[in-house]
Amino acid sequence: MNEREFTVHRYDPKVDTEPRFESYDVPISASTSVLDGLFHIQETLGENLSMRFSCRQGVCGSCCMEINGKARLACQTPVTGLNDRKVTVRPLYNLPVIKDLVVDMDPFFESFEAIDPSFVAEGLDENSDPAVIPPDSREREVIEPRTDCVGCGACYSSCSVAGDTYLGPAAINKALTLLKDSREMKTDERFERLSETDGVQGCHVQGECSNTCPKDIPVSEGIQLLKRDAIKRGIKQRLFPSD
Ligand code: SF4
Ligand code: FES
């Protein structure tokens, strides 16, 4: 069996004054994922290594971490698919580290709360279903690919302006799915929120969010779409303030 060297970020704030990296030899086969390699370090080598995971099928987003310089889902990353023979693993950027590979996701999810991620449709109560968006409509074409977000945080980690005062790519992507939905009612409030300085104008158009997203969501393109919408809306409000 082949072996690969895993170099892993270690940090336990209860005992460590600063983070360090430690290396481990991990046996691999063609199907070994990076998450499998980390299990080997935990279970066979007996290391008290902390990481998040759940589904192991690429649907929960919880195992996202920086692997060889890119944020990826560890359960969906085969070790043999990495260009480098060494595997270097560290926690996501732009989020506080709790221990080893585990980050505090609160700032990431708080940015979702800021744009109010709930769907509110006109005339909808517990006895009625919202009108269906036709499958071949432009509206669905824009919204559908963007609803595959698994909340992994890869885009947030790869963004050079997230983690400070910018809402971040995933929350804005979520806002777009609601703003482009003709049934949704909170359009004005959401546009107002997104037009604040930490909203769409905070994006520096580096495009790393789209390059990194494991679900191939065109995140950056969506943010630029909303920037244009926000500018058009601002011009319209100045020209026709009573509309
Ligand atoms: S937009 Fe993509 S990278 Fe960002 S949280 Fe959603 S799935 Fe992850
Ligand atoms: S464990 Fe759920 S996406 Fe990897």
Side-chain angles (χ1 to χ4, degrees):
M1 191 177 252
N2 266 322
E3 270 195 353
R4 287 285 195 282
E5 185 180 302
F6 273 53
T7 302
V8 182
H9 178 274
R10 304 301 310 268
Y11 178 57
D12 182 348
K14 286 190 186 140
V15 291
D16 298 325
T17 52
E18 57 184 37
R20 67 190 187 284
F21 282 87
E22 285 192 10
S23 296
Y24 309 90
D25 290 330
V26 175
I28 60 148
S29 67
S31 62
T32 303
S33 69
V34 171
L35 188 63
D36 293 330
L38 296 174
F39 285 144
H40 177 85
I41 294 168
Q42 245 186 359
E43 293 164 7
T44 309
L45 302 183
E47 287 286 332
N48 179 19
L49 175 66
S50 298
M51 68 255 193
R52 272 201 193 100
F53 65 94
S54 180
C55 69
R56 300 175 71 172
Q57 295 178 7
V59 293
C60 76
S62 62
C63 67
C64 195
M65 54 188 78
E66 290 280 339
I67 300 168
N68 288 11
K70 183 177 178 186
R72 313 173 204 241
L73 299 178
C75 71
Q76 299 298 298
T77 304
V79 174
T80 51
L82 296 168
N83 287 337
D84 203 323
R85 284 187 66 80
K86 289 190 176 181
V87 182
T88 303
V89 189
R90 58 147 290 138
L92 295 178
Y93 291 106
N94 296 328
L95 292 161
V97 177
I98 294 176
K99 184 174 179 288
D100 296 331
L101 299 169
V102 178
V103 290
D104 178 358
M105 296 293 284
D106 279 359
F108 174 76
F109 289 116
E110 279 161 9
S111 65
F112 279 75
E113 281 173 32
I115 57 94
D116 188 352
S118 57
F119 173 76
V120 181
E122 194 169 12
L124 190 65
D125 60 34
E126 66 269 18
N127 300 316
S128 58
D129 291 328
V132 173
I133 303 174
D136 55 354
S137 66
R138 171 73 185 140
E139 189 175 340
R140 187 181 279 260
E141 202 180 292
V142 172
I143 296 170
E144 196 154 271
R146 297 179 161 89
T147 58
D148 286 340
C149 175
V150 292
C152 66
C155 54
Y156 199 87
S157 180
S158 67
C159 175
S160 66
V161 276
D164 190 6
T165 55
Y166 173 48
L167 284 175
I172 297 177
N173 175 70
K174 177 67 187 175
L176 187 150
T177 64
L178 295 164
L179 284 165
K180 292 293 176 188
D181 190 318
S182 55
R183 304 164 301 177
E184 233 287 328
M185 291 173 64
K186 290 194 191 158
T187 309
D188 288 341
E189 294 98 306
R190 276 203 193 89
F191 258 117
E192 267 171 39
R193 184 63 189 85
L194 287 176
S195 300
E196 290 175 25
T197 47
D198 64 351
V200 286
Q201 305 303 340
C203 167
H204 289 192
V205 205
Q206 291 172 341
E208 279 308 304
C209 48
S210 299
N211 294 339
T212 313
C213 177
K215 297 298 168 185
D216 295 327
I217 297 173
V219 197
S220 178
E221 294 80 348
I223 297 169
Q224 310 328 312
L225 188 64
L226 287 186
K227 273 187 192 174
R228 287 194 291 276
D229 286 355
I231 290 167
K232 278 189 219 160
R233 224 177 138 80
I235 293 171
K236 197 173 163 204
Q237 278 169 354
R238 281 193 187 182
L239 290 176
F240 309 105
S242 56
D243 272 13

